């Protein structure tokens, strides 16, 4: 890349992408879905528990380039963060939301669920083991209603699609219209942590089980597809013996990684990103700052890949 100023790079890149049809005009995001020829950026945010906080870093990179997704698809934590982005939240407000919800001095997120002195977490995460998970559905629903402030997919600023898994039928379910909060709750219903969600005659669990990075949902709706895989990698323990939580959820990660590899062989996204996350456990939300720092290199990678595509467009 030529040695240009940061502002000059962003202006030049934005102009190039606008010419290429990858940058939507202001206020035109929802209209993109109705055009015969897809344009704009389709952003797919994958599942991965606390690693999903890296999605916020990817959003920061797009903001630095002056870009905004034309449509979004998400699974699990990607559905949650994608929902907030679609509702108008930027990267700064998302970081503030995470800081408010999960204090950095938590120590152990799961352990804190059992401590009565962690009032903020207990207000949101109440034990509900009998229902099939640790997290109380009503508390989570209340949090979404209070912070999302949108009732239906049609009320969102950016078109959104989220995936869930039908527990009994063993099939993927996609939601992109009607009430938005139940589908997000269903998509994030990680077995053992969140209880299954009963909705529209189905028993629904985590969307990442069958579609970890749902870029297939935006490929035909956008000119450029960006897929963000936050499964990361795991550190080998000194004694080589994982505990119960690590054993269960690392096995889940192995399954997802294989599904993503299979998806990419069939049809890959235009830009596939995998932030260099190592040793982030599924409930490590208290390590938000460390996760942001690990994911930071993905910014330059995304900018290089977008620049390469813009140069290929002939501008």
């Amino acid at each position: 890349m030529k040695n240009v100023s940061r502002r000059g790079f962003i202006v030049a890149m934005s102009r190039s992408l606008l010419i290429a049809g990858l940058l939507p005009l202001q206020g035109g995001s929802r209209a993109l879905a109705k055009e015969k020829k897809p344009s704009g950026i389709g952003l797919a945010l994958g599942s991965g528990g606390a690693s999903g906080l890296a999605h916020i870093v990817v959003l920061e990179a797009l903001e630095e380039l002056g870009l905004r997704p034309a449509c979004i698809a998400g699974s699990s934590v990607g559905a949650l963060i994608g929902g907030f982005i679609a509702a108008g939240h930027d990267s700064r407000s998302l970081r503030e939301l995470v800081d408010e919800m999960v204090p950095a001095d938590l120590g152990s997120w799961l352990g804190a669920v059992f401590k009565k002195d962690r009032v903020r977490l207990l207000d949101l995460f109440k034990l509900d083991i009998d229902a099939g998970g640790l997290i109380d559905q009503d508390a989570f629903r209340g949090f979404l209603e209070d912070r999302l402030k949108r009732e239906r997919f049609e009320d969102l600023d950016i078109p959104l699609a989220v995936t869930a898994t039908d527990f009994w039928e063993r099939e993927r379910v996609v939601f992109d219209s009607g009430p938005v909060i139940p589908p997000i709750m269903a998509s994030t219903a990680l077995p053992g942590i969140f209880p299954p969600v009963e909705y529209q005659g189905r028993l629904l669990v985590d969307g990442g089980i069958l579609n970890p990075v749902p870029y297939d949902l935006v490929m035909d709706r956008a000119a450029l597809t960006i897929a963000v895989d936050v499964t990361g990698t795991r550190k080998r323990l000194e004694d080589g013996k994982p505990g119960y939580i690590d054993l269960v959820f690392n096995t889940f990660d192995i399954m997802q990684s294989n599904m993503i590899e299979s998806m990419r062989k069939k049809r890959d996204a235009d830009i596939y990103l995998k932030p260099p996350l190592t040793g982030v456990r599924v409930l490590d939300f208290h390590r938000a700052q460390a996760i942001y720092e690990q994911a930071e290199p993905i910014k330059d990678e995304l900018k290089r890949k977008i620049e390469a595509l813009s140069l290929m467009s002939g501008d």
Side-chain angles (χ1 to χ4, degrees), residues 82-280:
F84 279 107
I85 296 172
H89 285 257
D90 59 14
S91 60
R92 180 177 179 180
S93 67
L94 284 173
R95 284 200 183 215
E96 291 173 351
L97 188 62
V98 172
D99 289 343
E100 179 183 350
M101 186 177 70
V102 187
D105 63 352
L106 202 57
S108 170
W109 189 92
L110 185 59
V113 174
F114 298 92
K115 296 180 181 178
K116 294 182 180 179
D117 60 342
R118 297 295 184 179
V119 178
R120 277 181 287 179
L121 271 183
L122 287 176
D123 284 343
L124 176 58
F125 302 116
K126 299 177 181 178
L127 294 180
D128 197 11
I129 297 175
D130 290 340
L134 294 176
I135 311 303
D136 178 62
Q137 282 184 337
D138 292 337
F140 187 41
R141 178 187 289 274
F143 165 76
L144 289 175
E145 290 175 347
D146 181 57
R147 303 306 172 87
L148 198 63
K149 300 187 183 301
R150 307 293 172 90
E151 295 182 0
R152 302 179 63 83
F153 282 91
E154 292 81 2
D155 300 329
L156 298 171
D157 298 344
I158 301 173
L160 172 71
V162 303
T163 71
T165 301
D166 187 310
F167 181 80
W168 294 118
E169 298 298 327
R170 302 181 180 182
E171 63 184 15
R172 183 183 77 166
V173 184
V174 178
F175 297 96
D176 60 6
S177 63
V180 67
I181 290 179
I184 290 178
M185 292 178 63
S187 187
T188 57
L190 184 63
I193 302 298
F194 285 91
V197 173
E198 294 185 43
Y199 184 61
Q200 294 184 349
R202 296 175 179 265
L203 187 67
L204 302 170
V205 292
D206 196 288
I209 293 174
L210 292 180
N211 199 350
V213 187
Y215 60 83
D216 57 308
L217 298 181
V218 295
M219 293 192 81
D220 296 327
R221 301 178 63 188
L224 175 69
T225 303
I226 300 174
V228 188
D229 172 4
V230 292
T231 53
T233 58
R234 303 296 177 190
K235 290 182 179 179
R236 182 184 294 273
L237 301 177
E238 290 184 6
D239 61 5
K241 299 178 181 180
Y244 174 78
I245 292 293
D246 284 330
L247 182 62
V248 171
F249 294 112
N250 286 1
T251 301
F252 189 67
D253 283 347
I254 293 170
M255 176 186 70
Q256 290 188 109
S257 295
N258 279 276
M259 282 192 289
I260 293 169
E261 183 179 352
S262 178
M263 285 178 60
R264 296 188 67 197
K265 287 179 179 178
K266 293 178 181 178
R267 188 183 182 190
D268 205 357
D270 298 306
I271 295 177
Y272 170 82
L273 301 173
K274 187 170 183 177
L277 305 171
T278 303
V280 179

Side-chain angles (χ1 to χ4, degrees), residues 57 95 276-277 287-298:
V57 177
R95 284 200 183 215
L277 305 171
R287 297 180 56 208
Q289 188 56 43
I291 294 170
Y292 299 145
E293 290 173 0
Q294 282 195 38
E296 188 70 18
I298 209 67

Side-chain angles (χ1 to χ4, degrees), residues 15-24 32 35 38-41 222-224:
R15 181 176 60 186
S16 174
L17 290 169
L18 185 59
I19 292 173
L22 301 181
L23 175 61
L32 285 167
E35 295 178 359
S39 60
I41 292 175
L224 175 69

